[in-house]
Amino acid sequence: DLERVPPQMRRLLAACLQKDPRKRLRDLGDLSLLTGIALDQPAASSTAHIIPAAPSPTRLRRALPWAAALLCALAGTFAVAYFRAGPAPQQTIRSLIAAPEGNKFAFTGFSGAPVLSPDGTRLVFPAQDASGQESLWMRPLNSLTATRIDGTVGASYPFWSPDSRHIAFFQDGKLKRIDLDGGPASLLCDAPDARGGTWGRGNRILFASQALNQLEEVSASGGTPSPVFLRKPSGAMFSNRWPEFLPDGKHFLYLSGNLPEAGTPKLGIFIGKIGSNEAKFLLQADSAALYAPSGYLLFLRADTLMAQRFDPDKQKLEGEALPVAQHIASPALFREGLFGISQTGLLIYATEDTFVGGQMTWFDAKGKQLAEVGPPGAFDISLSPDGKQVAYVLQKRSGTKNDNIWLADLQRGVQTRFTFGPTDSKLAVWSPDGTRVAYYSAHANGDGLWVQSASGTGAAKLLFQSAAEEYPSDWSRDGRYIALTSSQPNSQDPPYGIWILPLFGDRKPFPYLPSSANKSDAVFSPDGRWLAYASDESGKLEVYLSPFPGGGGKWQVSQDGGDQPEWNRQGDALYYLGPGGKMMEASVRESAPTVVIGAPRQLFQVARPATSLGARSYCIAPDGKRFLVARELRSTPSPLTLVANWPAGLKK
């Protein structure tokens, strides 16, 4: 009780606790002045200080130990009370983390986001070296340097174990794990074309298998994964991805819906439960969502990182969503926001680059770069039959709000805008004589396939319209058919199939080789007797060859994954893109009633940009000796932003 402490003692304690060193008690001489206790026998003084009679030295020596003990005890008590009385307010602290020297961050959508360990001590991220090779890197947050994680070349979508010792990742169609304190990576199970995973309590892993459009559960020790069946959301197109376990280890968050429908209820966060096929819509979001132990969900709306109160036990949201940070990167075709959190109040995120797209570049068959073509940021390219023009898309640039098709004259170096509609126009294919261009365009009254003169004169004409999304992939050399990658609104799984649109008669499309697998990227052989396409029937995308218009067998062309097949002019070779942007070639020889496929060989490798379904990343020149490739192009990535105590920065 302070009222019972003598006034002299209170003055002493106050002097001991002064923050200003000039005012703080310094030595026993100051103690004597404050208490009136003479610690020696000073000479007579002429000062005006009034000093009470001093006790005898014997009594003083006996009293000093007890007085000192009392002073220490009281000083400790007062110190605790003093410093507890006014705690400093918590602050949000931001810092920047640069890529390892000689490398750049590889946040392309195919690689994944930066991820913080749950205990907030380490950071793992994908990075690309000068040769274009991508690996995972690990940086302790108490260190200024990062190290490459052995055995992770080509790895993607890393995620942490709950104990912060291991990471899991996807590599070559497999799910793997590695102990960051040492040891090689170990195989857990097959995971073709995966889209994220989460490691929960009970040593269980939940991951998204994009090839099957479902989530799968597997032991963190490895084994055969079990499907997690979930109710399909409304709409023809949907994708379940980026699962995230909630604290109970049974419920989980995941992103589902139509990926192009960002900013609408057709794309959002759902809650699922292990052992149940029910899926509860939680909120509209444009990215994956993460749960923070502080009681918030973090997710993107457009490029703004939002936080909203969330009760994981009741699975209910509370209050309004509040902005945390802006201009957060999120590759549009993947919808994985490039941000991560720890359980200790740390937040990491990558800001958007200036743009993401491709640079059209000529390569020879050995991969030597010959020349660049057109503006940066181009993708979805289609070369005219005579090789003199190329159609491409500039994504939401040049003062527009939509994707539009442009044409580049390769001889004169002139670029001309080709479409001007109020909605997206993309995925152009040329007529066999090069005089017309057919393309996909979305409209309020239905998606459609349009055709227009390549000269730009005259109005576009509607070839076909339906409630489904119909993406043209090729125009047969005889001019009679257009191959489509289609999503039929009333069909069951799979969501994507190949349909053929006749340009004669009633022009009614018909399905090509309907099955339970997804199919896309169909291209006609020069003689029109064969169709090459990509299918995930084996569990991952591979290139196949079948007779056209149908029946009579099927031959697998690629051996270790592939898509975007393309014929040479003679029809005796097929090209396709393998994993990691490998340009592959396989010979094709017809030997009735079958075909003989040669062993695929790699020509060269180039970084491919993230593209939409059906978009093409390369074309072959008429002479068959050059390849026009939309190689990946990015501005220099900004450093990562690390935020400590991010909830304190929320504007209530």
Side-chain angles (χ1 to χ4, degrees):
D1 189 346
L2 291 178
E3 296 300 325
R4 300 178 62 182
V5 177
Q8 287 179 322
M9 190 63 70
R10 289 204 298 270
R11 290 199 303 272
L12 170 64
L13 293 172
C16 290
L17 298 175
Q18 283 289 341
K19 292 184 177 180
D20 189 341
R22 295 172 297 179
K23 299 179 181 180
R24 191 181 307 137
L25 191 67
R26 295 171 298 173
D27 51 34
L28 292 177
D30 289 347
L31 174 64
S32 175
L33 288 174
L34 281 172
T35 62
I37 300 177
L39 301 183
D40 53 15
Q41 298 295 326
S45 173
S46 61
T47 62
H49 291 293
I50 299 175
I51 301 177
S56 68
T58 302
R59 291 178 60 196
L60 181 61
R61 285 193 297 269
R62 291 175 180 174
L64 272 177
W66 296 101
L70 176 61
L71 284 173
C72 290
L74 289 173
T77 302
F78 274 89
V80 172
Y82 179 81
F83 287 107
R84 280 183 176 176
Q90 290 184 320
Q91 294 183 341
T92 296
I93 301 175
R94 291 177 171 84
S95 57
L96 299 178
I97 295 180
E101 185 176 357
N103 292 260
K104 61 180 181 179
F105 293 121
F107 302 132
T108 63
F110 290 107
S111 304
V115 287
L116 288 162
S117 61
D119 63 8
T121 63
R122 295 191 278 193
L123 170 68
V124 166
F125 55 86
Q128 183 184 89
D129 63 20
S131 69
Q133 187 178 77
E134 293 184 10
S135 301
L136 298 180
W137 289 68
M138 188 272 292
R139 173 171 168 167
L141 293 183
N142 64 355
S143 172
L144 296 178
T145 59
T147 56
R148 189 194 307 266
I149 303 174
D150 291 338
T152 63
V153 173
S156 62
Y157 311 131
F159 56 97
W160 285 90
S161 63
D163 62 6
S164 299
R165 287 185 52 196
H166 305 80
I167 60 164
F169 56 88
F170 303 93
Q171 185 182 52
D172 299 328
K174 311 290 184 182
L175 174 61
K176 300 180 179 181
R177 62 178 281 182
I178 192 169
D179 188 336
L180 292 182
D181 293 327
S186 58
L187 173 65
L188 299 184
C189 65
D190 290 336
D193 200 19
R195 292 292 183 266
T198 178
W199 195 326
R201 295 168 53 185
N203 212 33
R204 304 298 296 177
I205 287 177
L206 186 66
F207 67 93
S209 176
Q210 183 65 6
L212 302 175
N213 247 325
Q214 67 181 16
L215 303 182
E216 297 189 76
E217 183 188 15
V218 69
S219 168
S221 301
T224 301
S226 303
V228 177
F229 295 103
L230 297 166
R231 178 173 52 85
K232 177 182 175 181
S234 60
M237 297 178 63
F238 79 100
S239 177
N240 298 328
R241 54 183 59 197
W242 318 129
E244 170 79 0
F245 270 122
L246 290 174
D248 65 3
K250 297 180 180 179
H251 292 86
F252 55 89
L253 307 168
Y254 65 100
L255 181 73
S256 187
N258 192 340
L259 298 180
E261 296 288 344
T264 74
K266 293 183 179 180
L267 180 67
I269 301 301
F270 287 72
I271 297 180
K273 182 181 179 181
I274 298 295
S276 171
N277 65 351
E278 289 301 311
K280 173 186 175 182
F281 179 80
L282 184 62
L283 56 86
Q284 186 277 319
D286 298 332
S287 77
L290 301 178
Y291 173 73
S294 52
Y296 286 97
L297 282 187
L298 280 83
F299 54 91
L300 290 185
R301 282 188 176 149
D303 65 351
T304 299
L305 181 61
M306 309 294 292
Q308 187 166 0
R309 283 286 184 184
F310 176 70
D311 186 331
D313 297 324
K314 298 179 181 178
Q315 288 95 51
K316 289 186 177 180
L317 296 166
E318 301 173 359
E320 297 181 355
L322 304 172
V324 178
Q326 293 183 325
H327 308 301
I328 308 303
S330 179
L333 304 177
F334 298 85
R335 300 297 178 194
E336 182 189 24
L338 299 185
F339 62 92
I341 58 174
S342 73
Q343 295 183 2
T344 59
L346 293 180
L347 165 69
I348 191 87
Y349 61 81
T351 52
E352 289 186 312
D353 297 337
T354 303
F355 61 85
V356 178
Q359 174 64 63
M360 293 185 289
T361 306
W362 283 111
F363 291 87
D364 66 16
K366 295 182 179 180
K368 180 182 178 181
Q369 184 172 319
L370 303 175
E372 293 184 347
V373 174
F379 70 100
D380 183 17
I381 64 176
S382 179
L383 196 63
S384 63
D386 61 8
K388 296 180 179 180
Q389 295 187 85
V390 61
Y392 60 93
V393 172
L394 285 181
Q395 185 177 20
K396 296 178 176 61
R397 295 185 57 180
S398 304
T400 72
K401 296 182 179 179
N402 308 306
D403 291 349
N404 281 282
I405 298 171
W406 290 65
L407 300 182
D409 187 313
L410 299 179
Q411 293 180 323
R412 297 186 298 142
V414 177
Q415 291 84 40
T416 305
R417 184 172 168 181
F418 184 67
T419 60
F420 297 84
T423 57
D424 289 348
S425 297
K426 51 190 176 181
L427 302 161
V429 296
W430 292 81
S431 63
D433 59 7
T435 61
R436 293 172 293 165
V437 176
Y439 59 91
Y440 162 85
S441 184
H443 287 269
N445 57 348
D447 296 347
L449 182 66
W450 299 75
V451 66
Q452 187 172 345
S453 170
S455 66
T457 60
K461 296 181 180 180
L462 182 65
L463 283 178
F464 176 72
Q465 188 173 37
S466 75
E469 294 186 351
E470 311 279 1
Y471 301 145
S473 58
D474 196 20
W475 197 325
S476 65
R477 305 304 182 269
D478 60 10
R480 292 169 57 84
Y481 301 96
I482 292 179
L484 307 170
T485 297
S486 176
S487 173
Q488 299 297 314
N490 298 319
S491 68
Q492 300 298 316
D493 294 340
Y496 305 116
I498 296 171
W499 287 64
I500 305 297
L501 173 66
L503 298 181
F504 56 89
D506 60 5
R507 295 190 177 184
K508 183 178 181 180
F510 60 88
Y512 178 77
L513 299 180
S515 70
S516 59
N518 289 291
K519 293 183 176 67
S520 63
D521 301 344
V523 288
F524 297 97
S525 62
D527 62 9
R529 298 177 57 183
W530 303 91
L531 205 64
Y533 58 92
S535 173
D536 65 5
E537 59 192 78
S538 68
K540 63 180 178 181
L541 283 174
E542 299 280 6
V543 174
Y544 295 86
L545 182 63
S546 289
F548 181 79
K554 175 180 60 180
W555 294 265
Q556 183 172 331
V557 178
S558 60
Q559 301 299 319
D560 190 29
D563 65 345
Q564 297 190 34
E566 186 73 62
W567 292 87
N568 68 354
R569 283 295 179 91
Q570 293 72 35
D572 58 5
L574 269 171
Y575 300 88
Y576 63 90
L577 286 180
K582 298 176 182 177
M583 183 66 68
M584 306 294 294
E585 179 190 49
S587 63
V588 178
R589 180 171 58 86
E590 185 173 355
S591 178
T594 185
V595 291
V596 178
I597 309 294
R601 67 186 185 98
Q602 179 179 334
L603 300 181
F604 57 91
Q605 185 169 1
V606 64
R608 58 188 285 188
T611 54
S612 59
L613 177 71
R616 303 198 70 79
S617 300
Y618 75 98
C619 306
I620 304 172
D623 60 12
K625 298 179 180 179
R626 295 174 300 142
F627 298 79
L628 185 62
V629 182
R631 62 181 176 85
E632 180 189 77
L633 183 67
R634 283 176 169 263
S635 58
T636 302
S638 302
L640 296 175
T641 300
L642 180 66
V643 186
N645 192 31
W646 63 266
L650 294 176
K651 295 181 179 180
K652 306 300 181 183

